[in-house]
Amino acid sequence: MILFFLISGILFLAFSAYYLLYLGPKLDPKNRAENFILQKRYHEAIKEYRKVLDFHPDDFSTQYHLADVYIKMQQPDSAAPLLERIVAANLYPLDVEKIDVLKKLGHIYKAREDLQNTFKIFYDISNDFPTDTESLYHIAFITLGQEEFDIAWRYFDRLIRLESLDFEILFGAGICAYQNQKINECVDLFKSAVEKKPNSVIANLAAAFANRRKREYGKALQYAEKIITLTD
């Protein structure tokens, strides 16, 4: 009898170990979904994630990964509600970064040309992550497009201080400086923009106008002469 119970116990432990280490993970919908994603079998992955949400509708980790699959499939309208639920709940599991959720949602809104929600998302990111240059970039250009030059300048200034000095940022900041009567900054910014793209007609034109406004007529003439050579 003792031997029987001993053998039964060993068999039970063996089956438990087999289930925990091999069979259980294979049957787990999350693991199955991850394997399907690696194989780019996205429709099957969606089915597995949906199984999890049927029993655990507030599993925000699964909602995030399901949204990511929809984004991979170029179905942002299916991803957006899942991401919006996570943001509304303000609950981020260990495997989900808040900034990633917000940026994915922000990109969806931007693609929809929903400027109000795009601005709100990237504004929230900039508050939580003040050195995130992508959020500063979007806020700066959205407010520039709305001719909110004072607000736009603040964000362009932060971008420049973080050494985000590509041509587009320098040129946009130059426009804001010009509109805000910051002529010295404007001249310097357009000069840097021209240095980035020496053959840009619009950058040379802006630099010419900025120097003329500063009454640096000799420098303005140099930029004007460069424009003539570029447009011959």
Side-chain angles (χ1 to χ4, degrees), residues 56-61 63-64 80-93 96 98 101-102 105 109 120-121 124 128:
H56 305 284
D58 293 330
D59 185 332
F60 295 114
S61 173
Q63 288 191 31
Y64 172 78
L82 295 160
L83 298 171
E84 287 168 344
R85 285 185 208 124
I86 300 171
V87 173
N90 197 29
L91 295 173
Y92 300 91
V96 177
K98 180 178 182 179
V101 176
L102 292 172
L105 192 54
Y109 290 147
K120 182 180 184 306
I121 285 289
D124 289 344
D128 290 339

Side-chain angles (χ1 to χ4, degrees), residues 49-74:
Y49 282 136
R50 286 294 179 190
K51 289 178 185 177
V52 177
L53 293 177
D54 285 343
F55 290 97
H56 305 284
D58 293 330
D59 185 332
F60 295 114
S61 173
T62 298
Q63 288 191 31
Y64 172 78
H65 292 296
L66 177 56
D68 201 37
V69 175
Y70 280 126
I71 290 170
K72 285 182 170 68
M73 295 178 67
Q74 298 184 349

Side-chain angles (χ1 to χ4, degrees), residues 4-224:
F4 171 79
F5 284 116
L6 183 60
I7 294 173
S8 298
I10 292 171
L11 290 173
F12 175 77
L13 290 173
F15 177 79
S16 298
Y18 175 76
Y19 182 83
L20 290 172
L21 298 175
Y22 180 75
L23 189 59
K26 285 195 69 175
L27 296 176
D28 186 331
K30 289 186 180 182
N31 290 336
R32 287 171 58 83
E34 290 173 6
N35 289 329
F36 284 136
I37 291 169
L38 292 174
Q39 300 170 49
K40 296 185 178 180
R41 295 165 61 183
Y42 299 130
H43 289 288
E44 288 92 335
I46 288 171
K47 290 178 183 178
E48 296 301 323
Y49 282 136
R50 286 294 179 190
K51 289 178 185 177
V52 177
L53 293 177
D54 285 343
F55 290 97
H56 305 284
D58 293 330
D59 185 332
F60 295 114
S61 173
T62 298
Q63 288 191 31
Y64 172 78
H65 292 296
L66 177 56
D68 201 37
V69 175
Y70 280 126
I71 290 170
K72 285 182 170 68
M73 295 178 67
Q74 298 184 349
Q75 295 181 18
D77 289 338
S78 296
L82 295 160
L83 298 171
E84 287 168 344
R85 285 185 208 124
I86 300 171
V87 173
N90 197 29
L91 295 173
Y92 300 91
L94 292 176
D95 64 333
V96 177
E97 294 286 343
K98 180 178 182 179
I99 192 170
D100 291 337
V101 176
L102 292 172
K103 282 189 175 184
K104 282 182 168 65
L105 192 54
H107 292 152
I108 292 171
Y109 290 147
K110 184 174 183 291
R112 292 177 178 172
E113 298 183 358
D114 182 347
L115 289 182
Q116 183 176 351
N117 278 318
T118 303
F119 178 86
K120 182 180 184 306
I121 285 289
F122 285 110
Y123 182 78
D124 289 344
I125 294 173
S126 71
N127 285 335
D128 290 339
F129 307 93
T131 60
D132 181 73
T133 55
E134 183 183 359
S135 62
L136 297 175
Y137 173 94
H138 287 297
I139 296 169
F141 277 101
I142 288 172
T143 51
L144 175 61
Q146 298 296 312
E147 298 185 358
E148 298 285 352
F149 299 115
D150 184 53
I151 297 172
W153 169 253
R154 294 204 299 269
Y155 287 93
F156 276 116
D157 188 48
R158 285 169 64 182
L159 272 172
I160 293 165
R161 292 176 188 279
L162 292 169
E163 300 182 1
S164 300
L165 301 179
D166 66 14
F167 173 82
E168 194 175 20
I169 290 170
L170 290 166
F171 191 80
I175 293 172
C176 285
Y178 189 91
Q179 294 292 339
N180 286 307
Q181 309 297 321
K182 298 178 182 294
I183 304 304
N184 290 331
E185 292 92 334
C186 172
V187 167
D188 291 341
L189 288 162
F190 285 136
K191 177 185 176 183
S192 297
V194 170
E195 288 170 353
K196 292 285 184 181
K197 288 189 177 181
N199 295 328
S200 169
V201 173
I202 191 170
N204 280 278
L205 184 62
F209 273 103
N211 278 280
R212 181 179 179 277
R213 190 165 183 178
K214 193 180 177 183
R215 298 183 180 180
E216 295 281 355
Y217 299 115
K219 292 181 180 178
L221 182 59
Q222 291 175 10
Y223 286 113

